[in-house]
Amino acid sequence: FTVASGFKAGGYSAYTGPSDLAGFGPQRSWTLEAADATTVPASNLTYTARAYASRVTGYQIERSFAVPNSFSVEYLVVNAGEARVLGFELESVWQATRDVTVTVAASISHATLQDFTDPFTGSNYSGRRAPYAPTGNGSLRVDYRPASGFFAGAGLTWTGTTHYDEQETAFLSQRAYTLIEADAGYAFARGEVRLFGRNLGDKRYYSSITPGVGHGTPGTPLTWGGEVSVRW
């Protein structure tokens, strides 16, 4: 069992015109976590299950806000009075054989704004999902890795739906997506040669979206590469 407290200092936003909105307060959090870590020798299985709950006051939201009835956009940090986060995580490693390892990780989370008002429109968004917080994450990876010689591995990573504004606007949200990766190579006494591929399905997604200007940052596309490492 773990009890933790966090603090993030307040400050001033440099890219906003209204002086009364430039300053923002600190963010404070309290988190309660319960976890169970278990090893099952007979099955060569190790896992950790973890549940947590956090209460955050002064939750800092950094993004651009479109000013109503105007062409201007203000980029600043504002404080939500309170936010709450509930989540569950599972991490597991299975040593299927001496050289084969299966790794699984999954998490679900629910981050909710309990008290937040848009500084420009005055609209209240209490009860909405907190921006930039995905609904969950997951991964699955299988590796064949002997002490030396040829090796290979492949994996999947999943990212849940992410909203980038508190209104949960559809075109300012990234739907859940899955990426595929793989690598293979040859290991020798003092190093290895490895080829790798990322986002093998060439999935198109946004790694970030800026609401006020409708700007999106594309995620990394299909990528191939090679690597040589030597130890001495």
Side-chain angles (χ1 to χ4, degrees):
F1 294 94
T2 303
V3 176
S5 178
F7 175 83
K8 185 178 180 182
Y12 294 89
S13 301
Y15 301 103
T16 183
S19 58
D20 60 327
L21 294 177
F24 57 92
Q27 174 178 298
R28 296 180 173 86
S29 65
W30 282 96
T31 300
L32 176 63
E33 178 184 294
D36 176 58
T38 301
T39 299
V40 185
S43 303
N44 295 320
L45 178 68
T46 300
Y47 72 86
T48 300
R50 180 182 298 107
Y52 60 88
S54 299
R55 178 179 180 268
V56 185
T57 57
Y59 184 80
Q60 294 175 0
I61 297 178
E62 178 182 358
R63 69 169 182 80
S64 58
F65 291 83
V67 181
N69 304 316
S70 172
F71 292 105
S72 65
V73 175
E74 300 290 340
Y75 188 85
L76 68 160
V77 178
V78 296
N79 294 98
E82 182 180 342
R84 294 179 184 174
V85 184
L86 301 175
F88 178 79
E89 300 175 350
L90 176 65
E91 303 169 2
S92 179
V93 178
W94 177 39
Q95 194 72 41
T97 69
R98 184 180 63 180
D99 300 329
V100 177
T101 304
V102 180
T103 305
V104 178
S107 71
I108 54 174
S109 63
H110 189 69
T112 307
L113 297 172
Q114 299 298 308
D115 180 17
F116 178 64
T117 300
D118 187 297
F120 293 99
T121 65
S123 299
N124 187 285
Y125 293 104
S126 299
R128 297 294 182 93
R129 178 173 287 276
Y132 294 86
T135 55
N137 293 279
S139 64
L140 169 64
R141 184 171 178 87
V142 179
D143 287 290
Y144 168 69
R145 188 66 190 245
S148 61
F150 289 101
F151 64 86
L156 302 173
T157 59
W158 173 82
T159 301
T161 300
T162 305
H163 299 291
Y164 288 94
D165 72 339
E166 60 284 341
Q167 300 178 49
E168 302 178 12
T169 307
F171 82 94
L172 295 176
S173 302
Q174 172 59 55
R175 299 182 62 181
Y177 60 91
T178 301
L179 303 180
I180 306 171
E181 64 178 22
D183 62 356
Y186 185 86
F188 47 92
R190 293 191 175 182
E192 66 180 40
V193 178
R194 184 171 67 96
L195 298 176
F196 63 86
R198 301 287 181 264
N199 191 5
L200 295 179
D202 201 17
K203 176 68 177 180
R204 297 185 178 184
Y205 65 98
Y206 288 102
S207 61
S208 180
I209 298 174
T210 306
V213 293
H215 173 268
T217 302
T220 304
L222 170 64
T223 305
W224 293 94
E227 181 179 272
V228 177
S229 60
V230 178
R231 299 182 295 273
W232 68 87

